[in-house]
Structure formats: C-alpha cells, structure tokens
C-alpha cells in the first residue's frame, strides 16, 4: 500500500483546476448501458472509482476507449447482466449499474455492494423502488436477482431522499412503460447532471433538483456526447484546506452554487470570498473562528465534507459542534487526528472539537476516502512530518491529489 509523506507548516497559495465530479460520473457511466450504442464523455475524473466502473462495463461486454480528453464508451455488445462479485465488493456505487441493467435486459444479478466503511449502507430503498416498478427480487445467500417481463411506470415515494436510490429509480424508469413519479427524491446537483445527460440521450425526465421527479418512459435512447459537471466535494476540500492554512487560493472549473453551505460556513469562520462565474477565490484569516455544522441531504451541508470541515475546525479559536446525520460511522478519522494533537470528543453522531494552537506530524492511517483527505489537510498544517498510510482510499476520489497540492505549495511525496 502506498503512503504520502508531508512536511507540514505551509500556507497554501496559487491556482488549481477542479476535476470532473466523481459522483456525477459514476451514474452517468452506468447510464451508458441504456442506449446500446456510443457515449462520449468529457471531464471524467481519472480516479480509481471511475476506472472500476469501466472495468465493470468491460466485464459486461462493453468497450471503453480514451482519446485525448474524451472517453468513448460503446455498449452495443453488452450482453451480460451479472455484476462480478469482486468488483461489486470494491465499490458501493457499483449498485448504480443495476437500474441500467434492468432497463437494458430486464434482468440483473449482483451481490451486496462494498465500499468505504462509513456505515451500514443498506440498499433496501433501491430494491423497494425496483419492486414498485414490477421487478421481481430474489435473494439467495447475499446474491440478488432482479427480473421482469416489463418495467412499469409507477409512483415511488422514498422513505429517505437517498441519492443512489433516486438515481437507480430514474435509470430503471427511462425505458419503462408509462410515467414514473419519484417523490421525496434526493435533490443533489449530480442528479440534475444525470437528468441532463439522459435527456440529451433522448429520455423524458423533469424535476431533478426538486423533491419530485417525473420520467416518461421512451422506447429507445440515442448516442450522446456529454461534459460531466465539476466536483463540488473536491472544490470544498481545497477551500477548507486554504481556510485551515490561512491561505489564498483560486479554484477554476467550479460552480459556487453547488457548495453554498460550505462557503457560508467558511465565511462565518472568518474567510473572505471573491466569486466569479466558474471561479472561487478564498482569502483566509490568520486564525479561524469555531463554527458548528450539521450534515443534511442537499441543499444542507454535505456529509462528504463533514470530516474535511471538522478537521479545519481543529485549529480554530473556540469549540465547534459537528453533527453527522447521514452516515453513522463517519468519525473514524478523528482517532487519527487525536494522534496529531487534536482535541475531539465523539459521542454518537456528535463530535465536539476544542480548537488547539497547533497539530503535530505523526504516522496515521486513512480509514476512508474523505477521512483520508482530512488527514492530508492536517498533515499540511501540522508542525513536522506526517506519514499517511492506506492512501488508496484517497485515490478513489481525488484526481492527481499530490500534484495539485504541490502546485499550491505543499511539500508532499508519494512513497
Ligand atoms: C451518495 C454519494 C456519497 C454521499 C451520499 C450522501 C455517490 C456515488 N455517492 O452515496 O458520496 O456521501 O450520497 O450524500 O453518489 N440508505 C438506506 N437505504 C438505502 C439507501 C440509503 O437506508 O437503500 C441510507 C444510507 O445508509 C445513508 C443515507 O440513506 O444513511 C444516505 O445514503 P445515500 O443518499 O443512498 O448515499 P449513496 O447514494 O450511497
């Protein structure tokens, strides 16, 4: 397993480009199965999770080629409907292929998904949405079979606005008979990106971004070319890093509207922003003020930035209260931060952080993707050298992370 070595104590400064969104790219790559033809994608981040998704497509009979900055996917020969168990275990988002397989073959076979260990992560809402649309579900020792004669447009009311369940319901409904209405749908910007992509392919979807989405089934979808939206979680990570180091950076290829809650909270902590179309510049004060956050479904504060923001607060003036409402096991990284001198007390879904003057370099281990990125941030401000093990978790979601960090003045190497 590779590791990062960081010499800390630096203030970040400069400009970087934000990559395409991981969480938009994954369902869009999965959706390419639906047109049984060609999909050309731009701005796909070159990270472990998108590579895994391409591997699954290839195992199903698809062809993926890379030409300069575009990825061409040909799914005309996708003839399998079984997602290989080893790939399914490696990445939770692999479950997002199921809706497309049902749409294409009226059949899918898969096992319970794996992924980051941040909570139990059930898929009951996905399965209930499939059942509502006339899909028969069979369960046998951890394997799940979905099959049907036809997919029926239906009314689906989600118990919780799950991002993945909303996406899977949309993907299944594109080629269904009749109209599907999803209520209590997730409102994340990545769902709008999926809607825009599918509509460009010929689907009839409206309402993404609100809590009610309507899909009118069509008979066939076309070849398509699409540019993936920028990654709002990567943007939020770099803004928090800049805030934490008292830095001044400008991020390009971004959309400030998708990270409003993060910008608002960083402003409350004392940061100043200069926002233009596609660009955000942040100027951080010498010392941040402690602020509280609660994670919520969009448009609330994103759970994927909880660890990043909490880490920023470890050296703020005062005490911050962090409440994690989405995933129950998302505080593992705090144990590693404590080794670096942070004062954090976790009780259930709440973390109480007492700001300290300094963090100190230590040997730590990434335990999940975003928690791992948070340790990198801590290493950058810490006095001394930090060694971070298990960086494979971080590489699942951040493209060229070390190179981008070097560009803004961080002393980081991969070993
Ligand atoms: C997506 C994102 C992930 C983000 C999360 C919440 C992708 C690839 N991943 O994950 O980065 O952290 O949204 O914003 O887009 N739940 C159930 N039953 C289900 C499905 C979900 O109980 O069938 C629960 C989960 O355990 C969790 C909550 O709903 O507590 C939110 O999960 P969900 O929105 O589905 O997250 P993902 O789609 O897995």
């Amino acid at each position: 397993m590779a590791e990062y070595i960081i010499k800390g104590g630096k203030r970040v400064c400069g400009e970087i480009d934000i990559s395409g969104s991981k969480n938009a790219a994954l369902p869009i790559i999965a959706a390419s199965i639906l047109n049984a033809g060609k999909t050309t994608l731009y701005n796909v981040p070159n990270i472990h999770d998108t590579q895994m998704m391409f591997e699954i497509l290839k195992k199903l009979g698809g062809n993926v080629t890379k030409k300069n900055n575009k990825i061409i996917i040909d799914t005309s020969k996708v003839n399998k409907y079984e997602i290989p168990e080893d790939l399914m275990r490696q990445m939770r988002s692999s479950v997002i292929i199921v809706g497309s397989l049902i749409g294409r073959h009226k059949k899918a076979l898969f096992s319970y998904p794996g992924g980051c260990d941040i909570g139990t992560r059930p898929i009951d809402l996905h399965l209930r949405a499939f059942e509502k649309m006339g899909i028969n579900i069979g369960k046998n020792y951890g394997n799940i079979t979905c099959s049907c004669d036809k997919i029926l447009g239906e009314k689906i009311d989600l118990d919780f606005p799950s991002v993945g369940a909303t996406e899977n319901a949309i993907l299944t409904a594109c080629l269904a008979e009749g109209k599907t209405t999803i209520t209590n749908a997730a409102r994340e910007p990545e769902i709008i990106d999926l809607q825009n992509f599918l509509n460009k392919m010929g689907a009839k979807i409206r309402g993404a971004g609100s809590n009610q989405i309507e899909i009118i089934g069509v008979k066939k979808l076309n070849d398509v070319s699409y540019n993936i939206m920028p990654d709002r979680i990567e943007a939020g990570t770099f803004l928090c890093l800049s805030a934490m180091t008292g830095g001044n950076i400008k991020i390009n290829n971004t959309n400030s509207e998708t990270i409003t809650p993060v910008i608002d909270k960083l402003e409350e902590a004392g940061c100043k922003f200069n926002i233009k179309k596609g660009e955000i510049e942040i100027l951080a004060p010498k010392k941040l003020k402690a602020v509280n956050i609660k994670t919520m479904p969009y448009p609330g504060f994103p759970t994927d930035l909880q660890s990043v923001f909490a880490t920023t607060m470890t050296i703020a003036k005062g005490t911050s209260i962090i409440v994690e409402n989405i995933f129950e096991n998302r505080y593992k990284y705090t144990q590693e931060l404590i080794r670096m001198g942070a004062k954090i007390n976790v009780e259930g879904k709440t973390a109480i952080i007492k700001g300290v003057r300094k963090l100190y370099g230590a040997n730590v281990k990434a335990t999940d993707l975003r928690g791992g990125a948070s340790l990198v941030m801590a290493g950058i401000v810490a006095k001394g050298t930090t060694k971070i093990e298990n960086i494979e978790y971080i590489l699942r979601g951040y493209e060229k992370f070390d190179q981008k960090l070097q560009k803004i003045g961080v002393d980081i190497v991969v070993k």
Side-chain angles (χ1 to χ4, degrees):
M1 282 240 175
E3 52 196 41
Y4 283 140
I5 311 283
I6 303 169
K7 285 196 185 131
K10 292 261 165 68
R11 174 180 180 267
V12 297
C13 191
E15 244 180 82
I16 45 166
D17 295 335
I18 296 302
S19 298
S21 161
K22 165 176 99 63
N23 288 354
L26 293 174
I28 287 175
I29 297 169
S32 70
I33 292 178
L34 286 171
N35 68 1
K38 274 204 179 130
T39 296
T40 306
L41 295 177
Y42 297 88
N43 210 27
V44 177
N46 185 7
I47 50 176
H48 174 268
D49 276 15
T50 52
Q51 297 313 312
M52 291 306 301
M53 209 47 133
F54 291 139
E55 283 311 307
I56 297 176
L57 276 189
K58 287 184 203 162
K59 288 265 157 67
L60 293 169
N63 187 42
V64 181
T65 48
K66 192 168 187 234
K67 267 194 199 151
N68 305 323
N69 62 342
K70 63 181 176 186
I71 305 269
I72 302 161
I73 306 171
D74 183 348
T75 59
S76 54
K77 296 200 174 99
V78 165
N79 54 2
K80 297 198 181 71
Y81 55 85
E82 179 175 352
I83 308 174
E85 189 177 350
D86 54 327
L87 298 179
M88 193 81 197
R89 278 190 186 279
Q90 282 194 47
M91 186 177 66
R92 180 187 161 79
S93 324
S94 40
V95 75
I96 213 65
I97 296 244
V98 176
S100 297
L101 284 176
I102 297 173
R104 176 81 180 265
H105 298 307
K106 305 207 169 50
K107 235 182 190 177
L109 186 62
F110 59 104
S111 52
Y112 277 98
C116 279
D117 184 13
I118 57 175
T120 50
R121 310 193 84 172
I123 54 165
D124 55 312
L125 301 173
H126 300 239
L127 299 181
R128 237 178 280 155
F130 295 148
E131 263 175 334
K132 201 80 206 285
M133 298 168 89
I135 321 293
N136 301 310
I137 313 274
K139 292 182 195 161
N140 186 15
Y141 299 112
N143 290 322
I144 302 170
T145 319
C146 296
S147 61
C148 65
D149 293 330
K150 52 183 177 181
I151 307 165
L152 306 171
E154 261 297 345
K155 289 202 168 87
I156 298 166
D157 183 44
L158 294 174
D159 287 348
F160 182 86
S162 151
V163 174
T166 303
E167 291 168 345
N168 247 335
I170 294 174
L171 292 167
T172 313
C174 283
L175 295 169
E177 290 183 15
K179 180 166 121 181
T180 301
T181 308
I182 309 168
T183 49
N184 200 25
R187 298 170 58 189
E188 269 67 3
E190 292 76 12
I191 293 175
I192 304 180
D193 217 37
L194 178 63
Q195 167 180 281
N196 293 343
F197 169 78
L198 288 166
N199 282 347
K200 211 169 168 206
M201 219 191 220
K204 286 195 174 156
I205 311 170
R206 60 175 198 189
S210 77
N211 59 7
Q212 178 159 329
I213 301 175
E214 280 179 16
I215 306 113
I216 296 172
V218 295
K219 291 253 175 303
K220 201 179 166 314
L221 295 162
N222 324 311
D223 288 357
V224 63
S225 161
Y226 194 75
N227 193 26
I228 308 271
M229 67 176 274
D231 197 307
R232 65 192 168 101
I233 306 303
E234 188 198 10
T237 305
F238 279 105
L239 293 179
C240 286
L241 171 66
S242 186
M244 196 180 182
T245 65
N248 173 206
I249 62 166
K250 186 163 84 113
I251 55 175
N252 304 316
N253 182 34
T254 187
N255 178 355
S256 64
E257 282 166 25
T258 62
I259 44 170
T260 307
V262 183
I263 292 175
D264 287 353
K265 284 291 170 184
L266 288 174
E267 265 179 346
E268 203 182 319
C271 297
K272 299 252 181 300
F273 286 90
N274 183 8
I275 296 174
K276 292 191 189 134
K277 198 168 186 292
E279 300 175 1
I280 308 174
E281 185 187 358
I282 175 170
L283 184 61
K286 277 216 171 80
K287 187 85 184 161
L288 294 167
K289 283 183 278 196
V291 296
N292 304 332
I293 57 159
K294 277 186 200 161
T295 65
M296 299 293 269
Y298 194 86
F301 193 97
T303 174
D304 285 348
L305 288 172
Q306 176 260 106
S307 60
V308 165
F309 198 87
T311 301
T312 310
M313 290 295 105
T314 56
I315 54 163
K317 187 172 179 332
T319 299
S320 317
I321 299 171
I322 312 286
V323 181
E324 171 56 59
N325 287 313
I326 311 293
F327 291 109
E328 72 276 12
N329 200 9
R330 228 175 180 176
Y331 283 128
K332 282 192 171 170
Y333 67 95
T334 57
Q335 289 309 313
E336 304 297 305
L337 286 180
I338 290 168
R339 293 164 64 91
M340 299 177 74
K343 284 203 173 151
I344 308 176
N345 195 3
V346 175
E347 272 178 38
K349 58 184 192 173
T350 304
I352 298 166
I353 303 177
K354 278 193 184 152
V356 292
R357 273 171 50 85
K358 264 195 173 71
L359 295 179
Y360 296 90
N363 292 351
V364 290
K365 280 192 177 125
T367 55
D368 64 84
L369 162 57
R370 306 299 170 187
S374 308
L375 297 180
V376 172
M377 291 169 55
I380 293 168
V381 286
K383 185 171 162 40
T385 301
T386 295
K387 183 168 93 176
I388 302 173
E389 290 177 36
N390 294 352
I391 65 167
E392 282 71 14
Y393 280 116
I394 304 169
L395 303 178
R396 287 188 46 197
Y398 290 90
E399 187 179 45
K400 298 184 187 152
F401 201 32
D402 52 322
Q403 292 166 40
K404 289 189 187 186
L405 289 168
Q406 285 161 358
K407 192 160 179 262
I408 53 174
V410 175
D411 187 340
I412 180 170
V413 287
V414 185
K415 258 182 115 184

